[in-house]
């Protein structure tokens, strides 16, 4: 059996500048993001019958790759020309529509597992490049930050240029993590990122490029106050880029609730918006108070305390 895992992705600032439409117009996009200690997992082993058996939220059994409904499995099996096998998907959280790039993470986990299954050596960046090409087949509006944000672990700035491969600068996040707890709060709303991406206004996203540049400078200077001022500015700009980002009563309520909690240093809705998880930074000394407050005010919304993963893609044979 082959087991592979890939972290999810949390974007801090710059989302929407990584889309094809934006990069085509402005020639460059950039984000600051990190990989949390939350993962997708893919297992592969030989089938005893001449069938493809796929286990995820559904179960598929077929003798033809073309009949597989799961886009990730179908396209990855085609790429590797894989014969009959059994494949199982799992995740650390309920990841569908999460805003944490679970689809990209699963694609990377799948490619890592298949590369080991076929004894093909691949670097992490090679896996990301293949994953991006595969994902474009079934999700042509997907931005670049999801694949490269998941597949390359750590806290980092990524620059996307029209005619160059993505470049990475790894940043020191200790001045944040030493003083703040990080949380993900589930909105209980599942959204399709493609629907949000169709409504994005690339011109309204342009100010995010300048924010990313300033954001990196404040991180390098370890300027906590300016970091969170800019982080919150990014969320304010993000909310103007599409009318659908807060177009849900529950999400609107969470946004307002977090806005008035003084010990919340910063927050934003992850991914394209419209559902998924809020990322929240809280003063460490207020950890217990915050958790009790959320359990009271937002009792139906799961709260997850997270850390930063620096290891990225992993896979092995058992």
């Amino acid at each position: 059996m082959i087991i592979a895992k890939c972290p999810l992705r949390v974007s801090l600032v710059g989302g929407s500048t990584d889309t094809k439409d934006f990069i085509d117009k402005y020639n460059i996009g950039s984000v600051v993001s990190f990989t949390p200690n939350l993962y997708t997992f893919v297992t592969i082993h030989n089938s005893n019958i001449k069938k493809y058996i796929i286990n995820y939220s559904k179960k598929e059994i077929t003798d033809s790759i073309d009949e597989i409904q799961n886009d990730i499995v179908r396209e990855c099996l085609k790429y590797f020309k894989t014969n009959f096998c059994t494949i199982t998907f799992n995740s650390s959280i309920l990841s569908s529509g999460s805003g944490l790039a679970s689809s990209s993470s699963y694609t990377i986990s799948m490619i890592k597992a298949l590369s080991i299954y076929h004894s093909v050596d691949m670097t992490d960046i090679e896996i990301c490049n293949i994953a991006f090409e595969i994902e474009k087949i079934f999700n042509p509006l997907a931005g670049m930050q999801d694949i490269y944000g998941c597949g390359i672990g750590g806290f980092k700035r990524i620059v996307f240029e029209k005619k160059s491969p993505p470049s990475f600068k790894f940043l020191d996040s200790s001045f944040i993590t030493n003083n703040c707890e990080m949380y993900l709060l589930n909105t209980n709303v599942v959204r399709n990122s493609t629907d949000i991406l169709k409504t994005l206004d690339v011109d309204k996203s342009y100010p995010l490029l300048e924010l990313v540049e300033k954001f990196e400078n404040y991180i390098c200077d370890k300027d906590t106050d300016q970091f969170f001022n800019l982080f919150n500015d990014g969320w304010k700009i993000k909310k103007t880029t599409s009318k659908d980002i807060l177009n849900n009563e529950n999400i609107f309520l969470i946004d307002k609730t977090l806005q008035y909690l003084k010990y919340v240093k910063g927050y934003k809705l992850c991914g394209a918006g419209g559902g998924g998880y809020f990322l929240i930074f809280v003063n460490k000394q207020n950890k217990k108070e915050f958790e009790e407050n959320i359990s009271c005010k937002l009792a139906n919304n799961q709260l997850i305390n997270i850390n930063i993963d620096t290891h990225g893609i992993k896979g092995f044979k058992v």
Side-chain angles (χ1 to χ4, degrees):
M1 176 183 287
I2 308 299
I3 303 173
K5 74 172 185 176
C6 176
L8 300 173
R9 181 272 303 136
V10 175
S11 177
L12 296 178
V13 67
S16 302
T17 72
D18 64 308
T19 62
K20 183 180 184 300
D21 286 348
F22 187 93
I23 296 170
D24 282 347
K25 183 167 185 177
Y26 294 109
N27 297 312
I28 192 169
S30 187
V31 300
V32 175
S33 67
F34 69 88
T35 45
N37 57 332
L38 300 170
Y39 310 91
T40 62
F41 304 88
V42 170
T43 63
I44 300 178
H45 60 84
N46 291 326
S47 291
N48 293 321
I49 57 174
K50 291 184 178 181
K51 297 283 185 181
Y52 294 100
I53 303 173
I54 320 298
N55 301 293
Y56 52 111
S57 56
K58 301 177 181 178
K59 182 166 186 172
E60 297 187 52
I61 302 176
T62 179
D63 56 8
S64 170
I65 291 179
D66 290 330
E67 292 177 358
I68 295 173
Q69 296 177 19
N70 186 295
D71 294 326
I72 295 169
V73 174
R74 183 184 64 252
E75 298 305 327
C76 288
L77 289 178
K78 281 184 179 180
Y79 182 88
F80 282 91
K81 298 180 176 62
T82 306
N83 210 338
F84 302 116
C85 59
T86 297
I87 297 167
T88 301
F89 279 17
N90 282 297
S91 176
S92 299
I93 60 172
L94 294 173
S95 55
S96 177
S98 65
L100 303 174
S102 60
S103 176
S104 296
S105 178
Y106 270 125
T107 304
I108 290 170
S109 292
M110 184 74 182
I111 293 171
K112 179 65 175 180
L114 283 170
S115 69
I116 297 172
Y117 188 76
H118 289 280
S119 301
V120 178
D121 289 330
M122 287 185 178
T123 65
D124 288 354
I125 196 68
E126 287 173 336
I127 289 173
C128 289
N129 292 339
I130 293 168
F132 182 61
E133 293 304 316
I134 287 175
E135 191 165 77
K136 284 196 298 185
I137 296 171
F138 56 84
N139 188 9
L141 292 180
M144 298 182 74
Q145 71 155 322
D146 289 358
I147 287 291
Y148 294 97
C150 290
I152 307 300
F155 187 87
K156 55 196 177 289
R157 177 181 178 179
I158 315 175
V159 176
F160 306 102
E161 295 183 80
K162 193 170 183 178
K163 296 183 179 180
S164 300
S167 61
F168 303 85
K169 182 175 182 179
F170 294 92
L171 306 169
D172 182 3
S173 62
S174 60
F175 78 102
I176 307 166
T177 54
N178 287 343
N179 296 295
C180 293
E181 295 287 341
M182 294 189 296
Y183 294 90
L184 290 173
L185 180 70
N186 193 353
T187 65
N188 296 325
V189 179
V190 176
R191 90 290 182 271
N192 186 327
S193 62
T194 301
D195 294 336
I196 303 294
L197 291 170
K198 287 177 181 177
T199 69
L200 286 180
D201 185 327
V202 295
D203 295 322
K204 288 183 178 179
S205 300
Y206 184 75
L208 291 171
L209 276 184
E210 183 180 359
L211 285 190
V212 171
E213 191 70 33
K214 291 181 178 179
F215 205 60
E216 181 188 335
N217 292 335
Y218 293 144
I219 292 169
C220 293
D221 293 341
K222 301 186 185 302
D223 190 330
T224 308
D225 290 339
Q226 291 287 17
F227 173 90
F228 284 114
N229 285 339
L230 208 62
F231 176 73
N232 292 323
D233 285 345
W235 171 230
K236 291 174 185 176
I237 293 172
K238 182 75 173 179
K239 286 190 281 188
T240 70
T241 61
S242 170
K243 61 181 177 58
D244 291 335
I245 288 176
L246 287 181
N247 190 22
N248 177 276
E249 184 178 347
N250 191 41
I251 294 174
F252 185 80
L253 172 63
I254 295 171
D255 185 51
K256 290 300 180 185
T257 300
L258 295 175
Q259 184 177 335
Y260 292 108
L261 295 178
K262 294 182 179 179
Y263 42 77
V264 172
K265 299 287 289 182
Y267 70 93
K268 62 164 286 188
L269 191 57
C270 294
Y277 288 79
F278 273 95
L279 169 68
I280 310 166
F281 293 91
V282 178
N283 289 326
K284 276 191 179 291
Q285 61 266 33
N286 299 110
K287 173 181 170 70
K288 184 177 180 181
E289 182 182 0
F290 171 73
E291 291 176 355
E292 289 175 350
N293 214 323
I294 291 298
S295 66
C296 177
K297 294 179 181 295
L298 302 168
N300 295 322
N301 301 93
Q302 181 192 23
L303 187 68
I304 307 170
N305 200 182
I306 62 170
N307 296 305
I308 295 174
D309 174 277
T310 59
H311 301 295
I313 311 164
K314 294 291 181 184
F316 53 91
K317 184 182 294 187
V318 294

